[in-house]
Amino acid sequence: MDMKYILIFVLVIFSINISSKELVIDVFGKEEVKTYAIDENNFFRMVTTQSVFKTNTNIYGNSECAGTTEIYNKNVVLNILCELREGENKGYYVLKNNNTESSRKDEVTELAIKVLFVGGSGRWKKLKGQSCNFVYFEYEEGASHAKVKCSIDKELFSFFENE
């Protein structure tokens, strides 16, 4: 391979790494779930959560989510809206999918999907349209931990750096 192409390749890889940052939002809270067992393979769940969050840039706030999870023949359908509140500023993201498999009515003990930011105010509105990775862990007594990871450019990341 020509040295010029190797140099271009290295520069492209380096520029990708320096032009992208990762915004991480850790959410810790409690959930309440009302489950309707249709039969042994089909369930409908109404979920609400109350949480606190912290970003890797030291932004803190409260959070809540509400929505449904449905299981039909091991296919899990999620339709949940979450709100992040940082003072007067709010961010909204949705968890929607229709291709996660599970056979348990309390299926969301571990979950890894994408979330989509759909709106907000202040710095959070700048995330509108951003798709991020979402991981969810449920513990005993309704305790939960969710982690949202967004790969964003340096300019967008700068809005989330606390001065």
Side-chain angles (χ1 to χ4, degrees), residues 90-123:
K90 296 178 181 179
Y92 296 94
Y93 61 88
V94 292
L95 292 82
K96 281 191 173 199
N97 81 326
N98 59 3
N99 61 358
T100 302
E101 286 196 7
S102 177
S103 59
R104 297 176 40 218
K105 68 179 177 185
D106 55 346
E107 86 287 353
V108 190
T109 55
E110 291 187 17
L111 178 66
I113 62 170
K114 294 278 190 184
V115 299
L116 178 66
F117 276 84
V118 293
S121 60
R123 62 176 123 205

PDB file of all heavy atoms in Angstrom, residues 90-123:
ATOM      1  N   LYS A  90     -35.698  20.738  29.891  1.00  0.00           N
ATOM      2  CA  LYS A  90     -36.177  19.359  29.816  1.00  0.00           C
ATOM      3  C   LYS A  90     -35.715  18.717  28.519  1.00  0.00           C
ATOM      4  O   LYS A  90     -35.565  19.388  27.499  1.00  0.00           O
ATOM      5  CB  LYS A  90     -37.708  19.322  29.870  1.00  0.00           C
ATOM      6  CG  LYS A  90     -38.276  19.832  31.169  1.00  0.00           C
ATOM      7  CD  LYS A  90     -39.776  19.821  31.151  1.00  0.00           C
ATOM      8  CE  LYS A  90     -40.312  20.370  32.476  1.00  0.00           C
ATOM      9  NZ  LYS A  90     -41.764  20.386  32.486  1.00  0.00           N
ATOM     10  N   GLY A  91     -35.498  17.405  28.583  1.00  0.00           N
ATOM     11  CA  GLY A  91     -35.185  16.613  27.399  1.00  0.00           C
ATOM     12  C   GLY A  91     -36.124  15.422  27.347  1.00  0.00           C
ATOM     13  O   GLY A  91     -36.481  14.860  28.391  1.00  0.00           O
ATOM     14  N   TYR A  92     -36.550  15.050  26.160  1.00  0.00           N
ATOM     15  CA  TYR A  92     -37.478  13.935  25.990  1.00  0.00           C
ATOM     16  C   TYR A  92     -36.892  12.909  25.026  1.00  0.00           C
ATOM     17  O   TYR A  92     -36.409  13.268  23.950  1.00  0.00           O
ATOM     18  CB  TYR A  92     -38.818  14.421  25.425  1.00  0.00           C
ATOM     19  CG  TYR A  92     -39.535  15.360  26.354  1.00  0.00           C
ATOM     20  CD1 TYR A  92     -39.383  16.733  26.231  1.00  0.00           C
ATOM     21  CD2 TYR A  92     -40.350  14.865  27.366  1.00  0.00           C
ATOM     22  CE1 TYR A  92     -40.038  17.602  27.095  1.00  0.00           C
ATOM     23  CE2 TYR A  92     -41.003  15.721  28.234  1.00  0.00           C
ATOM     24  CZ  TYR A  92     -40.840  17.094  28.089  1.00  0.00           C
ATOM     25  OH  TYR A  92     -41.481  17.940  28.952  1.00  0.00           O
ATOM     26  N   TYR A  93     -36.946  11.628  25.438  1.00  0.00           N
ATOM     27  CA  TYR A  93     -36.548  10.554  24.528  1.00  0.00           C
ATOM     28  C   TYR A  93     -37.552   9.428  24.615  1.00  0.00           C
ATOM     29  O   TYR A  93     -38.257   9.280  25.612  1.00  0.00           O
ATOM     30  CB  TYR A  93     -35.118  10.070  24.790  1.00  0.00           C
ATOM     31  CG  TYR A  93     -34.837   9.490  26.148  1.00  0.00           C
ATOM     32  CD1 TYR A  93     -35.036   8.135  26.411  1.00  0.00           C
ATOM     33  CD2 TYR A  93     -34.333  10.284  27.171  1.00  0.00           C
ATOM     34  CE1 TYR A  93     -34.751   7.596  27.654  1.00  0.00           C
ATOM     35  CE2 TYR A  93     -34.043   9.750  28.417  1.00  0.00           C
ATOM     36  CZ  TYR A  93     -34.259   8.402  28.646  1.00  0.00           C
ATOM     37  OH  TYR A  93     -33.979   7.865  29.882  1.00  0.00           O
ATOM     38  N   VAL A  94     -37.635   8.654  23.543  1.00  0.00           N
ATOM     39  CA  VAL A  94     -38.576   7.541  23.492  1.00  0.00           C
ATOM     40  C   VAL A  94     -37.823   6.229  23.347  1.00  0.00           C
ATOM     41  O   VAL A  94     -36.762   6.165  22.725  1.00  0.00           O
ATOM     42  CB  VAL A  94     -39.603   7.678  22.341  1.00  0.00           C
ATOM     43  CG1 VAL A  94     -40.550   8.833  22.596  1.00  0.00           C
ATOM     44  CG2 VAL A  94     -38.939   7.811  20.999  1.00  0.00           C
ATOM     45  N   LEU A  95     -38.392   5.208  23.955  1.00  0.00           N
ATOM     46  CA  LEU A  95     -37.934   3.836  23.797  1.00  0.00           C
ATOM     47  C   LEU A  95     -39.040   3.138  23.018  1.00  0.00           C
ATOM     48  O   LEU A  95     -40.152   2.966  23.527  1.00  0.00           O
ATOM     49  CB  LEU A  95     -37.783   3.136  25.143  1.00  0.00           C
ATOM     50  CG  LEU A  95     -36.677   3.601  26.077  1.00  0.00           C
ATOM     51  CD1 LEU A  95     -37.098   4.810  26.855  1.00  0.00           C
ATOM     52  CD2 LEU A  95     -36.292   2.479  26.994  1.00  0.00           C
ATOM     53  N   LYS A  96     -38.744   2.811  21.774  1.00  0.00           N
ATOM     54  CA  LYS A  96     -39.717   2.120  20.939  1.00  0.00           C
ATOM     55  C   LYS A  96     -38.979   1.046  20.177  1.00  0.00           C
ATOM     56  O   LYS A  96     -37.918   1.289  19.632  1.00  0.00           O
ATOM     57  CB  LYS A  96     -40.364   3.069  19.928  1.00  0.00           C
ATOM     58  CG  LYS A  96     -41.446   3.927  20.494  1.00  0.00           C
ATOM     59  CD  LYS A  96     -42.184   4.612  19.369  1.00  0.00           C
ATOM     60  CE  LYS A  96     -43.377   5.336  19.945  1.00  0.00           C
ATOM     61  NZ  LYS A  96     -44.378   5.647  18.964  1.00  0.00           N
ATOM     62  N   ASN A  97     -39.552  -0.115  20.163  1.00  0.00           N
ATOM     63  CA  ASN A  97     -39.021  -1.186  19.332  1.00  0.00           C
ATOM     64  C   ASN A  97     -40.094  -2.234  19.173  1.00  0.00           C
ATOM     65  O   ASN A  97     -41.135  -2.184  19.818  1.00  0.00           O
ATOM     66  CB  ASN A  97     -37.751  -1.787  19.932  1.00  0.00           C
ATOM     67  CG  ASN A  97     -38.050  -2.795  21.010  1.00  0.00           C
ATOM     68  OD1 ASN A  97     -39.011  -2.659  21.754  1.00  0.00           O
ATOM     69  ND2 ASN A  97     -37.247  -3.820  21.103  1.00  0.00           N
ATOM     70  N   ASN A  98     -39.835  -3.194  18.342  1.00  0.00           N
ATOM     71  CA  ASN A  98     -40.772  -4.308  18.198  1.00  0.00           C
ATOM     72  C   ASN A  98     -40.045  -5.588  17.822  1.00  0.00           C
ATOM     73  O   ASN A  98     -40.600  -6.441  17.185  1.00  0.00           O
ATOM     74  CB  ASN A  98     -41.862  -3.989  17.172  1.00  0.00           C
ATOM     75  CG  ASN A  98     -41.288  -3.676  15.814  1.00  0.00           C
ATOM     76  OD1 ASN A  98     -40.083  -3.759  15.626  1.00  0.00           O
ATOM     77  ND2 ASN A  98     -42.151  -3.315  14.877  1.00  0.00           N
ATOM     78  N   ASN A  99     -38.785  -5.700  18.241  1.00  0.00           N
ATOM     79  CA  ASN A  99     -38.047  -6.895  17.837  1.00  0.00           C
ATOM     80  C   ASN A  99     -37.196  -7.489  18.944  1.00  0.00           C
ATOM     81  O   ASN A  99     -36.252  -8.191  18.678  1.00  0.00           O
ATOM     82  CB  ASN A  99     -37.180  -6.583  16.618  1.00  0.00           C
ATOM     83  CG  ASN A  99     -36.158  -5.499  16.910  1.00  0.00           C
ATOM     84  OD1 ASN A  99     -36.127  -4.955  18.009  1.00  0.00           O
ATOM     85  ND2 ASN A  99     -35.323  -5.198  15.940  1.00  0.00           N
ATOM     86  N   THR A 100     -37.535  -7.227  20.207  1.00  0.00           N
ATOM     87  CA  THR A 100     -36.810  -7.833  21.311  1.00  0.00           C
ATOM     88  C   THR A 100     -37.568  -9.082  21.737  1.00  0.00           C
ATOM     89  O   THR A 100     -38.776  -9.035  21.895  1.00  0.00           O
ATOM     90  CB  THR A 100     -36.726  -6.853  22.501  1.00  0.00           C
ATOM     91  OG1 THR A 100     -36.088  -5.670  22.051  1.00  0.00           O
ATOM     92  CG2 THR A 100     -35.950  -7.449  23.656  1.00  0.00           C
ATOM     93  N   GLU A 101     -36.864 -10.167  21.934  1.00  0.00           N
ATOM     94  CA  GLU A 101     -37.543 -11.399  22.321  1.00  0.00           C
ATOM     95  C   GLU A 101     -37.406 -11.669  23.802  1.00  0.00           C
ATOM     96  O   GLU A 101     -36.366 -11.454  24.395  1.00  0.00           O
ATOM     97  CB  GLU A 101     -36.990 -12.594  21.535  1.00  0.00           C
ATOM     98  CG  GLU A 101     -37.457 -12.612  20.110  1.00  0.00           C
ATOM     99  CD  GLU A 101     -37.232 -13.953  19.453  1.00  0.00           C
ATOM    100  OE1 GLU A 101     -36.833 -14.905  20.132  1.00  0.00           O
ATOM    101  OE2 GLU A 101     -37.480 -14.038  18.248  1.00  0.00           O
ATOM    102  N   SER A 102     -38.493 -12.161  24.407  1.00  0.00           N
ATOM    103  CA  SER A 102     -38.500 -12.555  25.807  1.00  0.00           C
ATOM    104  C   SER A 102     -39.677 -13.488  26.031  1.00  0.00           C
ATOM    105  O   SER A 102     -40.659 -13.443  25.309  1.00  0.00           O
ATOM    106  CB  SER A 102     -38.636 -11.346  26.735  1.00  0.00           C
ATOM    107  OG  SER A 102     -38.701 -11.782  28.071  1.00  0.00           O
ATOM    108  N   SER A 103     -39.597 -14.282  27.068  1.00  0.00           N
ATOM    109  CA  SER A 103     -40.703 -15.176  27.375  1.00  0.00           C
ATOM    110  C   SER A 103     -41.242 -14.932  28.777  1.00  0.00           C
ATOM    111  O   SER A 103     -42.033 -15.697  29.276  1.00  0.00           O
ATOM    112  CB  SER A 103     -40.252 -16.636  27.247  1.00  0.00           C
ATOM    113  OG  SER A 103     -39.174 -16.867  28.134  1.00  0.00           O
ATOM    114  N   ARG A 104     -40.820 -13.842  29.413  1.00  0.00           N
ATOM    115  CA  ARG A 104     -41.222 -13.597  30.797  1.00  0.00           C
ATOM    116  C   ARG A 104     -42.018 -12.315  30.898  1.00  0.00           C
ATOM    117  O   ARG A 104     -41.731 -11.335  30.230  1.00  0.00           O
ATOM    118  CB  ARG A 104     -39.984 -13.490  31.681  1.00  0.00           C
ATOM    119  CG  ARG A 104     -39.189 -14.783  31.700  1.00  0.00           C
ATOM    120  CD  ARG A 104     -37.913 -14.693  32.491  1.00  0.00           C
ATOM    121  NE  ARG A 104     -38.091 -13.925  33.696  1.00  0.00           N
ATOM    122  CZ  ARG A 104     -37.180 -13.104  34.185  1.00  0.00           C
ATOM    123  NH1 ARG A 104     -36.042 -12.934  33.542  1.00  0.00           N
ATOM    124  NH2 ARG A 104     -37.386 -12.438  35.297  1.00  0.00           N
ATOM    125  N   LYS A 105     -43.002 -12.309  31.789  1.00  0.00           N
ATOM    126  CA  LYS A 105     -43.838 -11.112  31.932  1.00  0.00           C
ATOM    127  C   LYS A 105     -43.061  -9.951  32.530  1.00  0.00           C
ATOM    128  O   LYS A 105     -43.390  -8.804  32.306  1.00  0.00           O
ATOM    129  CB  LYS A 105     -45.078 -11.411  32.771  1.00  0.00           C
ATOM    130  CG  LYS A 105     -44.795 -11.715  34.226  1.00  0.00           C
ATOM    131  CD  LYS A 105     -46.076 -11.977  34.981  1.00  0.00           C
ATOM    132  CE  LYS A 105     -45.775 -12.354  36.406  1.00  0.00           C
ATOM    133  NZ  LYS A 105     -46.948 -12.725  37.142  1.00  0.00           N
ATOM    134  N   ASP A 106     -41.995 -10.238  33.293  1.00  0.00           N
ATOM    135  CA  ASP A 106     -41.146  -9.164  33.840  1.00  0.00           C
ATOM    136  C   ASP A 106     -39.850  -9.127  33.042  1.00  0.00           C
ATOM    137  O   ASP A 106     -38.768  -9.120  33.564  1.00  0.00           O
ATOM    138  CB  ASP A 106     -40.885  -9.373  35.329  1.00  0.00           C
ATOM    139  CG  ASP A 106     -40.284 -10.728  35.636  1.00  0.00           C
ATOM    140  OD1 ASP A 106     -40.308 -11.612  34.764  1.00  0.00           O
ATOM    141  OD2 ASP A 106     -39.800 -10.915  36.761  1.00  0.00           O
ATOM    142  N   GLU A 107     -40.020  -9.059  31.702  1.00  0.00           N
ATOM    143  CA  GLU A 107     -38.914  -9.271  30.768  1.00  0.00           C
ATOM    144  C   GLU A 107     -37.819  -8.234  30.820  1.00  0.00           C
ATOM    145  O   GLU A 107     -36.709  -8.493  30.432  1.00  0.00           O
ATOM    146  CB  GLU A 107     -39.441  -9.348  29.331  1.00  0.00           C
ATOM    147  CG  GLU A 107     -39.612  -8.023  28.605  1.00  0.00           C
ATOM    148  CD  GLU A 107     -40.768  -7.157  29.050  1.00  0.00           C
ATOM    149  OE1 GLU A 107     -41.583  -7.591  29.865  1.00  0.00           O
ATOM    150  OE2 GLU A 107     -40.840  -6.022  28.596  1.00  0.00           O
ATOM    151  N   VAL A 108     -38.094  -7.034  31.271  1.00  0.00           N
ATOM    152  CA  VAL A 108     -37.102  -5.979  31.131  1.00  0.00           C
ATOM    153  C   VAL A 108     -36.182  -5.952  32.348  1.00  0.00           C
ATOM    154  O   VAL A 108     -36.120  -4.991  33.085  1.00  0.00           O
ATOM    155  CB  VAL A 108     -37.775  -4.612  30.889  1.00  0.00           C
ATOM    156  CG1 VAL A 108     -36.746  -3.567  30.502  1.00  0.00           C
ATOM    157  CG2 VAL A 108     -38.808  -4.714  29.794  1.00  0.00           C
ATOM    158  N   THR A 109     -35.489  -7.055  32.584  1.00  0.00           N
ATOM    159  CA  THR A 109     -34.490  -7.071  33.648  1.00  0.00           C
ATOM    160  C   THR A 109     -33.138  -6.651  33.103  1.00  0.00           C
ATOM    161  O   THR A 109     -32.337  -6.084  33.815  1.00  0.00           O
ATOM    162  CB  THR A 109     -34.384  -8.461  34.304  1.00  0.00           C
ATOM    163  OG1 THR A 109     -34.124  -9.423  33.285  1.00  0.00           O
ATOM    164  CG2 THR A 109     -35.674  -8.816  35.024  1.00  0.00           C
ATOM    165  N   GLU A 110     -32.896  -6.912  31.849  1.00  0.00           N
ATOM    166  CA  GLU A 110     -31.714  -6.412  31.140  1.00  0.00           C
ATOM    167  C   GLU A 110     -32.148  -6.141  29.714  1.00  0.00           C
ATOM    168  O   GLU A 110     -32.782  -6.966  29.088  1.00  0.00           O
ATOM    169  CB  GLU A 110     -30.574  -7.433  31.157  1.00  0.00           C
ATOM    170  CG  GLU A 110     -29.971  -7.641  32.512  1.00  0.00           C
ATOM    171  CD  GLU A 110     -28.738  -8.528  32.460  1.00  0.00           C
ATOM    172  OE1 GLU A 110     -28.176  -8.720  31.360  1.00  0.00           O
ATOM    173  OE2 GLU A 110     -28.353  -9.024  33.508  1.00  0.00           O
ATOM    174  N   LEU A 111     -31.818  -4.959  29.213  1.00  0.00           N
ATOM    175  CA  LEU A 111     -32.284  -4.563  27.908  1.00  0.00           C
ATOM    176  C   LEU A 111     -31.252  -3.656  27.264  1.00  0.00           C
ATOM    177  O   LEU A 111     -30.709  -2.772  27.918  1.00  0.00           O
ATOM    178  CB  LEU A 111     -33.616  -3.806  28.068  1.00  0.00           C
ATOM    179  CG  LEU A 111     -34.294  -3.250  26.831  1.00  0.00           C
ATOM    180  CD1 LEU A 111     -34.757  -4.383  25.927  1.00  0.00           C
ATOM    181  CD2 LEU A 111     -35.474  -2.396  27.239  1.00  0.00           C
ATOM    182  N   ALA A 112     -30.967  -3.864  26.005  1.00  0.00           N
ATOM    183  CA  ALA A 112     -30.053  -2.997  25.254  1.00  0.00           C
ATOM    184  C   ALA A 112     -30.715  -2.664  23.927  1.00  0.00           C
ATOM    185  O   ALA A 112     -30.923  -3.549  23.103  1.00  0.00           O
ATOM    186  CB  ALA A 112     -28.716  -3.682  25.033  1.00  0.00           C
ATOM    187  N   ILE A 113     -31.086  -1.399  23.752  1.00  0.00           N
ATOM    188  CA  ILE A 113     -31.751  -0.955  22.531  1.00  0.00           C
ATOM    189  C   ILE A 113     -31.278   0.461  22.188  1.00  0.00           C
ATOM    190  O   ILE A 113     -30.395   1.004  22.842  1.00  0.00           O
ATOM    191  CB  ILE A 113     -33.294  -0.961  22.679  1.00  0.00           C
ATOM    192  CG1 ILE A 113     -33.731   0.008  23.788  1.00  0.00           C
ATOM    193  CG2 ILE A 113     -33.826  -2.348  22.905  1.00  0.00           C
ATOM    194  CD1 ILE A 113     -35.222   0.246  23.830  1.00  0.00           C
ATOM    195  N   LYS A 114     -31.892   1.066  21.210  1.00  0.00           N
ATOM    196  CA  LYS A 114     -31.653   2.460  20.848  1.00  0.00           C
ATOM    197  C   LYS A 114     -32.804   3.301  21.389  1.00  0.00           C
ATOM    198  O   LYS A 114     -33.937   2.832  21.477  1.00  0.00           O
ATOM    199  CB  LYS A 114     -31.600   2.637  19.329  1.00  0.00           C
ATOM    200  CG  LYS A 114     -30.437   1.960  18.665  1.00  0.00           C
ATOM    201  CD  LYS A 114     -29.221   2.815  18.762  1.00  0.00           C
ATOM    202  CE  LYS A 114     -28.103   2.254  17.890  1.00  0.00           C
ATOM    203  NZ  LYS A 114     -26.890   2.990  18.033  1.00  0.00           N
ATOM    204  N   VAL A 115     -32.490   4.545  21.761  1.00  0.00           N
ATOM    205  CA  VAL A 115     -33.524   5.511  22.105  1.00  0.00           C
ATOM    206  C   VAL A 115     -33.399   6.676  21.137  1.00  0.00           C
ATOM    207  O   VAL A 115     -32.347   6.890  20.530  1.00  0.00           O
ATOM    208  CB  VAL A 115     -33.414   6.024  23.560  1.00  0.00           C
ATOM    209  CG1 VAL A 115     -33.562   4.881  24.546  1.00  0.00           C
ATOM    210  CG2 VAL A 115     -32.124   6.773  23.807  1.00  0.00           C
ATOM    211  N   LEU A 116     -34.468   7.439  20.995  1.00  0.00           N
ATOM    212  CA  LEU A 116     -34.477   8.584  20.103  1.00  0.00           C
ATOM    213  C   LEU A 116     -34.909   9.813  20.892  1.00  0.00           C
ATOM    214  O   LEU A 116     -35.978   9.806  21.514  1.00  0.00           O
ATOM    215  CB  LEU A 116     -35.444   8.353  18.940  1.00  0.00           C
ATOM    216  CG  LEU A 116     -35.577   9.510  17.945  1.00  0.00           C
ATOM    217  CD1 LEU A 116     -34.260   9.729  17.190  1.00  0.00           C
ATOM    218  CD2 LEU A 116     -36.722   9.254  16.982  1.00  0.00           C
ATOM    219  N   PHE A 117     -34.072  10.854  20.876  1.00  0.00           N
ATOM    220  CA  PHE A 117     -34.449  12.116  21.504  1.00  0.00           C
ATOM    221  C   PHE A 117     -35.445  12.813  20.580  1.00  0.00           C
ATOM    222  O   PHE A 117     -35.193  12.979  19.389  1.00  0.00           O
ATOM    223  CB  PHE A 117     -33.223  12.993  21.762  1.00  0.00           C
ATOM    224  CG  PHE A 117     -32.529  12.640  23.052  1.00  0.00           C
ATOM    225  CD1 PHE A 117     -31.605  11.609  23.086  1.00  0.00           C
ATOM    226  CD2 PHE A 117     -32.829  13.312  24.218  1.00  0.00           C
ATOM    227  CE1 PHE A 117     -30.979  11.262  24.278  1.00  0.00           C
ATOM    228  CE2 PHE A 117     -32.215  12.971  25.413  1.00  0.00           C
ATOM    229  CZ  PHE A 117     -31.284  11.945  25.445  1.00  0.00           C
ATOM    230  N   VAL A 118     -36.597  13.211  21.137  1.00  0.00           N
ATOM    231  CA  VAL A 118     -37.680  13.758  20.322  1.00  0.00           C
ATOM    232  C   VAL A 118     -37.952  15.240  20.590  1.00  0.00           C
ATOM    233  O   VAL A 118     -38.756  15.847  19.895  1.00  0.00           O
ATOM    234  CB  VAL A 118     -38.978  12.945  20.501  1.00  0.00           C
ATOM    235  CG1 VAL A 118     -38.806  11.545  19.938  1.00  0.00           C
ATOM    236  CG2 VAL A 118     -39.424  12.908  21.953  1.00  0.00           C
ATOM    237  N   GLY A 119     -37.296  15.838  21.574  1.00  0.00           N
ATOM    238  CA  GLY A 119     -37.516  17.262  21.834  1.00  0.00           C
ATOM    239  C   GLY A 119     -36.974  17.669  23.179  1.00  0.00           C
ATOM    240  O   GLY A 119     -36.361  16.885  23.892  1.00  0.00           O
ATOM    241  N   GLY A 120     -37.232  18.922  23.515  1.00  0.00           N
ATOM    242  CA  GLY A 120     -36.787  19.425  24.795  1.00  0.00           C
ATOM    243  C   GLY A 120     -36.634  20.925  24.775  1.00  0.00           C
ATOM    244  O   GLY A 120     -37.036  21.610  23.826  1.00  0.00           O
ATOM    245  N   SER A 121     -36.029  21.443  25.834  1.00  0.00           N
ATOM    246  CA  SER A 121     -35.765  22.869  25.946  1.00  0.00           C
ATOM    247  C   SER A 121     -34.338  23.065  26.430  1.00  0.00           C
ATOM    248  O   SER A 121     -33.706  22.139  26.925  1.00  0.00           O
ATOM    249  CB  SER A 121     -36.764  23.529  26.908  1.00  0.00           C
ATOM    250  OG  SER A 121     -36.669  22.942  28.201  1.00  0.00           O
ATOM    251  N   GLY A 122     -33.834  24.301  26.275  1.00  0.00           N
ATOM    252  CA  GLY A 122     -32.450  24.574  26.643  1.00  0.00           C
ATOM    253  C   GLY A 122     -31.505  23.718  25.831  1.00  0.00           C
ATOM    254  O   GLY A 122     -31.746  23.426  24.665  1.00  0.00           O
ATOM    255  N   ARG A 123     -30.424  23.297  26.454  1.00  0.00           N
ATOM    256  CA  ARG A 123     -29.417  22.490  25.741  1.00  0.00           C
ATOM    257  C   ARG A 123     -29.973  21.158  25.263  1.00  0.00           C
ATOM    258  O   ARG A 123     -29.494  20.587  24.300  1.00  0.00           O
ATOM    259  CB  ARG A 123     -28.183  22.302  26.611  1.00  0.00           C
ATOM    260  CG  ARG A 123     -28.409  21.559  27.889  1.00  0.00           C
ATOM    261  CD  ARG A 123     -27.101  21.344  28.638  1.00  0.00           C
ATOM    262  NE  ARG A 123     -27.174  21.900  29.983  1.00  0.00           N
ATOM    263  CZ  ARG A 123     -26.131  22.281  30.670  1.00  0.00           C
ATOM    264  NH1 ARG A 123     -24.925  22.152  30.176  1.00  0.00           N
ATOM    265  NH2 ARG A 123     -26.260  22.766  31.875  1.00  0.00           N
TER     266      ARG A 123
END
